[in-house]
Structures are given as structure tokens and as C-alpha cells.
Amino acid sequence: MARPKQALPAASDIASLIDDRGQLKVRVTPGARTDDVSLLEGHLTVKTRAKPQDGAANDAVIIVVAKALGIAPSKVELLRGQTSRQKVLRITR
């Protein structure tokens, strides 16, 4: 049985969380059952199936956020939080 397609928040809603320096704060849950992006109380929450080993979860977060924003993953850079659940990403357009 095929998995249903994930419902992502609108890219404009996510873009509204990006500050004037192009930074986006993200709360990450690695090792989740599915990849998911959601807006909870004005914060972006990303769940990823990747385990937090050798940076795999960080790479997965970049890919999922880029997909949700409709941009290339090369436009998303991890600034802070390499080993933390709280991460700061730089988004370039």
C-alpha cells in the first residue's frame, strides 16, 4: 500500500518565519517514522527519518526544508545546531 503524500505547510507561511538576515529557526526530531514539516505556535518543526549519526539528520533536514520552501537544497545552509535539536538555517533566494 502506498504512503499518502505529506501535506506541507504553504511555502509563504514558512517564508514568513525567515528573519531579515535570512535565518530560519527549526526544531528537529530525528529518527521519526516519516519526514514531516509543520508549523506549531509560530515555530517550524521538522521530523526526519534519518538518524542523528554522521550528520545524516542534518542533511535530511536541509532537503526537507528546501522541498517545503520550493527551493534547491543548495540554497539552505546549516549555521548553528549541528548536534542540537534546535537548529538555525540560512536561506538564500
Side-chain angles (χ1 to χ4, degrees), residues 18-85:
I18 301 171
D19 68 11
D20 57 345
R21 295 178 297 191
Q23 295 181 1
L24 175 64
K25 294 180 182 176
V26 179
R27 167 92 171 140
V28 177
T29 303
R33 290 187 141 221
T34 60
D35 291 336
D36 183 43
V37 177
S38 58
L39 290 169
L40 298 173
E41 299 174 3
H43 296 91
L44 187 65
T45 303
V46 176
K47 294 180 181 179
T48 180
R49 296 175 61 196
K51 301 289 182 191
Q53 298 170 348
D54 301 324
N58 291 335
D59 295 339
V61 167
I62 288 171
I63 291 168
V64 170
V65 169
K67 180 179 177 183
L69 285 169
I71 60 175
S74 62
K75 302 285 185 180
V76 181
E77 175 188 3
L78 180 63
L79 291 180
R80 285 191 303 271
Q82 284 76 10
T83 59
S84 172
R85 288 178 184 248

